[in-house]
Each structure stands twice: as structure tokens, then as C-alpha cells.
Amino acid sequence: MNGQRGDDLDDDFVPDELVATSGEEDNGPGDDIGGLLSADEDAEEVAVDIKEKSATDKKRKRREKEKERKIKKRKLAETVEVIEPISVAAQPAHKLADYVTSMQAKAFPAMSGIELGDVSIPESSIADTTIWTGSRSLDNLVEFIITVLPTLHTRLSQRSKVAGAPTLLFIAGAALRVADATRVLRDKKLRREKGADVAKLFARHFKLEEHVSYLKRSKIGSAVGTPGRIGKLLCETDALSVSQLTHIILDISYRDTKKRSLLDIPETRDEVFRTVLGAPKVLKGLQEGKIQLVLL
């Protein structure tokens, strides 16, 4: 039996595909899994990058919108004319009398109508300041006094003869406001060369005894203070005299950060009516027409 050699195969022989490839190197399943994991990691990184970019873009857009909003707000503020609200103090005397009476009733809620009448301040003792059409700010206080209260201006320019006896009480709601008003009232246009000093009276940094000592040795033309400290000096000591007092100015046009005036705040309103205007000698002077109440 003759053996068949390789070159004895038929010329048209085609190797079986399975047999032909069976000898090729098999890479195994491990390489395919590695490739899939690598692809997943790449996809996750891309997704993270997209999210981070999206978050950054959102923050940038928010900042840009906020910047645009501030610019628009600033431009609007520059173009809109600020109109100062009309002060209660700008009303005629008869309306001011009604206003004072209503505030006084709030300070004495337990009083009857008859009792309130006994402590009421007559319209004739409330200054009519309607001739003043300007702003009722401290910047204009000197001109306000010269124009509207000429008698007070004359008295402030004179030398005081009695210690602790001012011709003017200026009542403000807070220590800082008192300090500002004190600086204004020391203006030479008001006091001239002979005018007496201006006392600054508030509780912060100063004990009551210190103010008592100061007033007993000092001849003052004006006393500027909070209603709490002025009230204590009037009602609990004899250091602050009303013998020369002709005017009391209530700083009601000024409003704090909460838009409240001196008489809007219950604490200061009560002190004004109970211990300042309600001090026996002060109330007597108001009811007799010897003291004028001025609403700034």
C-alpha cells in the first residue's frame, strides 16, 4: 500500500476553515474583559468631566446674572430721584397738637380722657414751623433755628448766668444722634462769641453722678440728650434747672435703621412724655406758655 505524500493532494484541495484556524494563538477571554473595564472607566471619567463642567458653567452664569442685576439696580438708583418723605413735623400747629395728644395717649394707656386732659400740651405752646420748607435734618438745623426760631437764636448767642439752666433742651433717640446734634449746636453762627456751652447728656460712658457734677458747675445754653438721661436729671436730681428754659426740640424727623422715629419707639416715647414733658416743672411751663415745644 503506497503512502500518500503532501504533494499528492488534489490540486483543487481547500483546507477546512476550522482546521486552518485551530492552530492560531487563542488570546482568551481575559483580554476582552480588560478592554470592557477600561472602556467603562473612560466613560465614567467623561461623565464626571461633563458634570463638573456643567456645574462650573451654572456657577459662572449665576455670577454673571448677579453682576448684571447689581449693575441694573445701581443704574436705576442713579436715575430715580430720591424723594424725602414729608415729615410729621411739617404740619400746622393744630395738627401737631393732635399728633402730640395721640402719642401722649399711647404713653399713658391707663389714663382716662379727663386725666389725659390734665397733662395735655396746649396748641398755643407748640411752635408752628410751616414756614420752613427745607429738609429737617441736622445739616439744616442751624438755619432752621435762625429762620424759624429767632428768639431762641438770640438767647443761644447770649451768655448764660445760671449753672445747669439751659434755654434749649434738644431730645434725640440715641447716643450717637445726641453727639451729632451737639456738634451742630456748637456752631458759631448760633452761639457767636458770647454763647454758652452745649451739654451732651446720655447714659453711655457717663454715670448720672458725673452729669450732676458737671451741670452744677457749668453755665450752659443748650442741653442735648436722650429722653432717658434728661428725664432722670429732671425728675431725680436738682442739677438740671428749667428756670431759663424757653424751647424743647423733639428730633422726630430722624428715623433709625428700622424707619422708626423718636415717638414711634415705645421706650423713648414713654420717657419723653413721662419724664421729660411730664416732669412737673416742664409741664407747668408748657401749659403756662413759658416753654415752646418744637417738632423738628
Side-chain angles (χ1 to χ4, degrees):
M1 184 176 177
N2 295 329
Q4 189 179 36
R5 296 189 304 274
D7 54 356
D8 292 336
L9 296 172
D10 295 336
D11 292 337
D12 58 353
F13 173 76
V14 178
D16 186 282
E17 185 177 349
L18 179 61
V19 176
T21 58
S22 64
E24 294 179 0
E25 184 178 352
D26 187 359
N27 291 328
D31 290 338
D32 293 337
I33 293 174
L36 290 172
L37 290 175
S38 177
D40 289 342
E41 290 173 356
D42 290 343
E44 288 178 0
E45 289 178 1
V46 170
V48 170
D49 290 342
I50 291 173
K51 286 182 180 179
E52 290 179 351
K53 186 175 184 302
S54 177
T56 302
D57 288 342
K58 286 181 180 178
K59 288 181 181 179
R60 178 178 55 78
K61 287 179 180 178
R62 279 199 300 268
R63 286 195 297 267
E64 289 176 354
K65 286 182 179 179
E66 181 66 18
K67 187 176 179 180
E68 289 176 4
R69 188 185 65 80
K70 287 182 179 179
I71 291 172
K72 287 180 180 178
K73 186 177 181 181
R74 185 172 66 250
K75 287 182 177 179
L76 184 63
E78 291 172 353
T79 55
V80 175
E81 182 181 356
V82 178
I83 300 174
E84 185 176 335
I86 297 175
S87 171
V88 172
Q91 299 180 101
H94 69 279
K95 289 190 175 181
L96 292 181
D98 292 340
Y99 172 72
V100 170
T101 299
S102 67
M103 292 295 105
Q104 193 173 40
K106 289 183 178 181
F108 297 105
M111 278 190 177
S112 66
I114 295 175
E115 290 172 325
L116 284 172
D118 292 338
V119 297
S120 66
I121 298 168
E123 179 187 329
S124 58
S125 291
I126 299 176
D128 189 332
T129 62
T130 51
I131 62 169
W132 181 262
T133 57
S135 172
R136 292 173 182 255
S137 64
L138 289 184
D139 291 338
N140 294 322
L141 178 59
V142 172
E143 291 302 322
F144 175 85
I145 291 174
I146 293 172
T147 304
V148 182
L149 307 168
T151 302
L152 176 60
H153 178 214
T154 300
R155 290 179 63 86
L156 289 175
S157 64
Q158 297 171 345
R159 190 180 301 278
S160 179
K161 297 178 181 180
V162 183
T167 192
L168 168 66
L169 288 180
F170 187 101
I171 311 299
L176 183 59
R177 186 70 174 174
V178 168
D180 291 340
T182 301
R183 284 192 291 271
V184 173
L185 289 171
R186 284 175 176 164
D187 192 299
K188 287 294 183 183
K189 288 178 69 176
L190 282 180
R191 298 167 59 213
R192 297 178 183 162
E193 296 301 322
K194 296 182 179 180
D197 197 11
V198 180
K200 181 171 58 179
L201 307 172
F202 54 80
R204 186 186 298 178
H205 310 310
F206 298 100
K207 293 180 180 179
L208 183 64
E209 294 76 16
E210 292 177 299
H211 281 149
V212 169
S213 176
Y214 165 75
L215 290 170
K216 285 187 173 182
R217 68 174 187 272
S218 304
K219 295 177 181 180
I220 59 174
S222 304
V224 186
T226 56
R229 178 47 54 94
I230 294 285
K232 280 183 177 293
L233 288 165
L234 287 170
C235 297
E236 298 179 15
T237 78
D238 60 354
L240 186 58
S241 171
V242 300
S243 62
Q244 305 299 311
L245 186 64
T246 60
H247 292 80
I248 299 174
I249 295 179
L250 298 183
D251 183 30
I252 68 165
S253 294
Y254 174 76
R255 295 183 179 276
D256 63 13
T257 54
K258 296 181 179 179
K259 306 299 181 183
R260 300 177 301 174
S261 73
L262 175 69
L263 300 183
D264 288 332
I265 304 169
E267 294 79 11
T268 54
R269 179 179 61 230
D270 291 353
E271 289 169 340
V272 166
F273 285 105
R274 293 179 182 181
T275 64
V276 179
L277 302 182
K281 290 182 180 180
V282 172
L283 181 59
K284 186 173 184 290
L286 286 166
Q287 292 180 331
E288 291 178 352
K290 295 178 181 179
I291 302 172
Q292 282 268 297
L293 180 63
V294 183
L295 276 62
L296 180 62

